[in-house]
Amino acid sequence: DSSTSRGLGDVYKRQVLVIPRGLARVGTTPDGRPGMAWTSKYASVGMNAVGKPILVDGLNERGLAVGLFYFPGSAGYMPYTPADAPRTMAAWELGSYILENFATVAEARAGLAQVVLPAVVLAEWKFAPEVHFIIHDEAGNSVVVEPLDGKLVIHDAPLGVVTNSPRYDWHMTNLRNYVNFSPLNAAPVQLGPVKLTGFGQGSGMVGLPGDFTPPSRFVRAVAFSQAVLPSLLPTGREAVLQAYHLLNNFDIPKGVAREHEKDAHGNPVADYTLWTSAADLKARRYHVRTYDNSAIRSLDLMAQPLDAKEIRRFPVTGPEVIQP
């Protein structure tokens, strides 16, 4: 999972949070009425944003993981009336709701049928963020959850990959444009008396889209994740490190993807990778690195006081350390 910024600066106040069991929650509604109320059944760990006590991505004590992804121009939130308030929450609260209430993808799928997810303005940004989600469980099941045309649509995600817009089923259809790709090098081609061979390793994926648009990143994520050798993943530690090797290919440096306009301080409005996380669903460990510090830091959820009375917060600020 990689989370990106669009030049919104310090509004992305973020920390690693441990959410305990027994925490009382109330969802946010468009008209300010109290939304859905719940008490966290399961403890969870992950990263927050804009200083809120909710998780943008993370995992829970039962090995369920959730990631929130930007979904601009594609989200079609559900209609809302005051009578819907007891079932309503804001989109940015849905990830925590899932982690705190469900143990498997199947449970989450069933539970989401009770949720009303309308457009709710996030005060810190002054607009309603358009987002969608991916959910994974320890058994290897994955689904993508999208607000589309006034409904909450759940797609089976057998490849376990999601990026951003457009909708998930479009990305899966787009994969058919790349059926010729292979991790195996292309065989030589004989053209009459001339034999053409590739210049080197990787010829099976010549033409793989390398830009930072969501469709291209989706294709690369599928290609790379499907090509990993199982023999390289004997333990959770090796799997996490391999995940970071894959995610290196999606690290967006500041400045390479930017808008034409500038912000109030005259700075370009640019995407860049704020943090990259990996969840070990068997060991219940959350791993994260940030734009400012590429060292991988981890937190063992099961070593935390899961019945604590309040949220535990762990800062992720600090510079890169260059070893001599």
Side-chain angles (χ1 to χ4, degrees), residues 6-324:
R6 295 194 68 242
L8 294 172
D10 61 3
V11 298
Y12 279 96
K13 298 171 184 174
R14 57 200 184 277
Q15 296 174 304
V16 170
L17 306 184
V18 174
I19 309 294
R21 305 167 184 147
L23 185 70
R25 299 284 209 179
V26 179
T28 306
T29 63
D31 60 7
R33 297 170 189 266
M36 180 183 284
W38 73 91
T39 299
S40 58
K41 180 179 179 181
Y42 302 119
S44 54
V45 60
M47 189 78 85
N48 76 338
V50 297
K52 289 190 174 296
I54 54 90
L55 300 184
V56 173
D57 66 70
L59 71 148
N60 71 12
E61 61 179 285
R62 297 298 300 274
L64 189 74
V66 170
L68 174 154
F69 291 79
Y70 199 38
F71 197 40
S74 297
Y77 286 115
M78 303 168 76
Y80 169 81
T81 67
D84 295 321
R87 300 170 51 213
T88 298
M89 67 186 68
W92 64 83
E93 296 164 332
L94 187 65
S96 280
Y97 172 75
I98 293 168
L99 292 175
E100 293 167 20
N101 286 282
F102 307 117
T104 65
V105 163
E107 286 185 13
R109 183 194 289 268
L112 288 172
Q114 310 302 317
V115 174
V116 174
L117 201 73
V120 181
V121 173
L122 179 62
E124 290 83 354
W125 293 356
K126 298 180 175 58
F127 63 89
E130 296 181 90
V131 298
H132 61 171
F133 307 83
I134 193 165
I135 311 172
H136 312 280
D137 65 22
E138 184 181 4
N141 303 301
S142 300
V143 294
V144 169
V145 181
E146 296 183 329
L148 296 170
D149 303 321
K151 298 178 181 179
L152 209 53
V153 177
I154 301 177
H155 308 271
D156 289 321
L159 300 179
V161 168
V162 74
T163 54
N164 310 101
S165 297
R167 52 189 289 163
Y168 176 78
D169 50 5
W170 183 97
H171 285 287
M172 290 299 291
T173 301
N174 184 52
L175 285 179
R176 296 171 64 182
N177 287 313
Y178 303 96
V179 294
N180 59 307
F181 283 175
S182 170
L184 301 176
N185 290 329
V189 175
Q190 192 74 37
L191 299 177
V194 177
K195 185 178 183 179
L196 301 180
T197 61
F199 282 116
Q201 294 296 311
S203 60
M205 290 194 185
V206 169
L208 189 73
D211 59 82
F212 291 120
T213 62
S216 294
R217 286 186 284 111
F218 190 98
V219 172
R220 291 206 308 283
V222 169
F224 298 155
S225 61
Q226 290 295 307
V228 170
L229 295 173
S231 59
L232 296 179
L233 312 176
T235 69
R237 182 179 186 275
E238 280 73 24
V240 166
L241 293 175
Q242 187 66 23
Y244 273 102
H245 281 299
L246 299 184
L247 289 166
N248 287 339
N249 295 275
F250 305 92
D251 191 32
I252 303 177
K254 289 182 181 179
V256 302
R258 66 178 88 170
E259 298 288 355
H260 292 276
E261 74 270 14
K262 296 184 178 180
D263 64 17
H265 305 288
N267 300 312
V269 179
D271 275 4
Y272 66 96
T273 303
L274 284 164
W275 74 82
T276 303
S277 62
D280 183 337
L281 301 187
K282 293 188 181 297
R284 316 296 200 254
R285 276 188 171 273
Y286 182 76
H287 306 76
V288 66
R289 71 180 183 207
T290 66
Y291 190 88
D292 298 317
N293 187 344
S294 63
I296 301 172
R297 286 164 280 179
S298 72
L299 194 147
D300 182 353
L301 174 60
M302 305 312 290
Q304 305 304 309
L306 304 187
D307 292 304
K309 300 301 181 184
E310 59 185 19
I311 296 172
R312 301 191 77 192
R313 301 171 183 271
F314 297 84
V316 292
T317 55
E320 186 81 44
V321 175
I322 301 177
Q323 298 288 348

